[in-house]
Amino acid sequence: MNYTLHQLQVFLKVTETKSITKAAEQLYLTQPAVSIQLRNFQDQFDIPLTEVVGRQLYVTEFGMEIARAAQNILNEVQAINYKTMAYKGKLSGKLSITSVSTGKYVIPFLLADFLKQHTEVELVLDVTNKNRVVRSLENNEVDFALVSLFPDLSVQSIPLMENQLVLVANRDFPMPKKPLTLEAIQALPLIYREAGSGSRFVMERFLNQLDSKGTKKMELTGNEAVKQAIMAGLGCSIMPVIGIKNELQNGDVQIIPAEGLPQSSQWNMIWMKSKNLSPVAEAYKNYLLENKSTIIQNHFGWTEQL
């Protein structure tokens, strides 16, 4: 056996993605380079690691055993690197965080100074939908998750700030003389986020207080798509105020006063109770606890003026 760490990394990525093309993209390599490394790795075993049926790549049972061993080896190598940097007095290692999509307006500010202080820390950040966030936590793929609604998991949390949702319309929407009633809101052409979104959950919870439900004009994936539809005059939506700062300043959208709004949820940084935090993750947790109030006031204090 004369396999290299690089071959282990390539093989492990292929087993994760079940695709040479996707593995190449995530490793920033060419497809031929991945194929060559995979073939060289396979040549060291008499039993197939992968097989192709039709056009789909499958990992054999033996291949999965080797993948688990490869992961253990790479974990040990990473631990050696961490210990070396720690001996030099530097915090190093991987910090893995996932966030629901609206969290992209929050998470950069929660990370910036920490990463400046600890330049040897490698950040892996996945901004995605709520379902994938929950899966990442369940599968122990991440250290932390930024959420506005708690998943049905056994977690610990650091409360951060309110997530206020308001009724948003474009610049041409006539400003009412008094706050709109729930019935009036339900009569509007409403734009919904996709199913499973935290914003969608809060919006539906608010609208469903009456027997009749809102008139759904359309359903769009992502906060940015909803904003563009609002600015184009396609309808109104109930959405997080943190995601419309620039549009408010530019006068592209406006917040419409409404009874029962804003609705609020809570941004929390969470992690599984059973999670053994790495030194990097532990340091980041302590950083958040010590600095969250200052970060929130400096970057999100403007929301209190609305």
Side-chain angles (χ1 to χ4, degrees):
M1 293 291 177
N2 192 31
Y3 47 76
T4 65
L5 291 177
H6 184 54
Q7 288 174 350
L8 292 177
Q9 291 169 334
V10 168
F11 176 65
L12 194 58
K13 186 59 67 175
V14 169
T15 64
E16 291 173 358
T17 61
K18 305 295 191 297
S19 166
I20 289 177
T21 300
K22 291 180 180 178
E25 291 174 352
Q26 295 185 22
L27 291 169
Y28 302 102
L29 297 172
T30 64
Q31 291 183 42
V34 170
S35 296
I36 290 171
Q37 292 297 328
L38 184 61
R39 184 172 64 248
N40 291 341
F41 189 60
Q42 173 64 78
D43 287 346
Q44 300 179 73
F45 301 91
D46 296 330
I47 304 172
L49 301 171
T50 62
E51 56 186 0
V52 177
V53 180
R55 300 182 65 181
Q56 178 63 48
L57 184 146
Y58 294 89
V59 183
T60 65
E61 184 176 349
F62 177 69
M64 292 306 298
E65 289 289 334
I66 298 301
R68 284 189 281 271
Q71 183 65 75
N72 291 335
I73 292 170
L74 292 173
N75 286 344
E76 289 299 320
V77 170
Q78 193 175 56
I80 291 172
N81 293 336
Y82 294 168
K83 290 175 182 177
T84 301
M85 297 306 298
Y87 189 78
K88 294 179 179 179
K90 293 183 179 181
L91 182 67
S92 68
K94 183 183 293 184
L95 177 64
S96 181
I97 300 178
T98 185
S99 169
V100 294
S101 58
T102 308
K104 66 186 176 185
Y105 303 111
V106 179
I107 192 68
F109 301 104
L110 299 176
L111 287 164
D113 284 344
F114 178 80
L115 295 176
K116 289 177 183 176
Q117 293 172 20
H118 305 290
T119 56
E120 300 298 328
V121 170
E122 176 191 354
L123 173 67
V124 178
L125 175 62
D126 183 25
V127 179
T128 183
N129 60 58
K130 180 183 174 184
N131 291 336
R132 180 167 173 77
V133 167
V134 173
R135 281 201 307 274
S136 296
L137 283 167
E138 287 180 314
N139 296 336
N140 196 32
E141 297 171 355
V142 296
D143 298 311
F144 301 103
L146 179 64
V147 298
S148 58
L149 297 170
F150 276 102
D152 188 19
L153 298 172
S154 180
V155 299
Q156 298 186 68
S157 68
I158 298 175
L160 296 171
M161 58 183 278
E162 269 194 324
N163 180 34
Q164 295 189 13
L165 287 86
V166 295
L167 180 63
V168 182
N170 77 345
R171 66 173 73 193
D172 299 323
F173 190 92
M175 183 63 68
K177 295 181 179 179
K178 59 182 181 179
L180 295 182
T181 63
L182 181 55
E183 292 89 339
I185 296 171
Q186 290 181 331
L188 297 172
L190 294 173
I191 303 169
Y192 283 66
R193 279 284 304 274
E194 75 278 7
S197 157
S199 299
R200 167 75 170 262
F201 174 83
V202 174
M203 182 173 176
E204 288 187 327
R205 182 182 64 188
F206 172 69
L207 293 173
N208 292 348
Q209 294 177 76
L210 294 181
D211 292 336
S212 60
K213 297 182 180 180
T215 304
K216 187 189 296 184
K217 181 78 174 181
M218 64 177 65
E219 178 180 304
L220 298 173
T221 301
N223 213 54
E224 295 301 315
V226 173
K227 281 195 296 187
Q228 293 300 320
I230 291 173
M231 288 189 287
L234 295 178
C236 305
S237 188
I238 296 173
M239 58 189 308
V241 70
I242 59 168
I244 57 173
K245 179 180 181 181
N246 292 336
E247 290 75 17
L248 285 172
Q249 291 176 338
N250 296 335
D252 295 323
V253 301
Q254 55 181 328
I255 297 174
I256 306 302
E259 295 178 0
L261 293 175
Q263 289 280 303
S264 294
S265 57
Q266 175 84 31
W267 285 111
N268 285 273
M269 191 68 78
I270 65 173
W271 64 99
M272 297 295 290
K273 283 186 176 179
S274 58
K275 178 76 174 177
N276 291 319
L277 295 179
S278 68
V280 170
E282 189 70 34
Y284 181 64
K285 182 188 77 172
N286 293 333
Y287 166 82
L288 270 189
L289 289 170
E290 293 172 8
N291 297 279
K292 63 174 186 174
S293 298
T294 300
I295 295 170
I296 290 166
Q297 186 57 45
N298 287 346
H299 298 287
F300 302 102
W302 63 271
T303 61
E304 300 173 2
Q305 311 303 318
L306 297 176

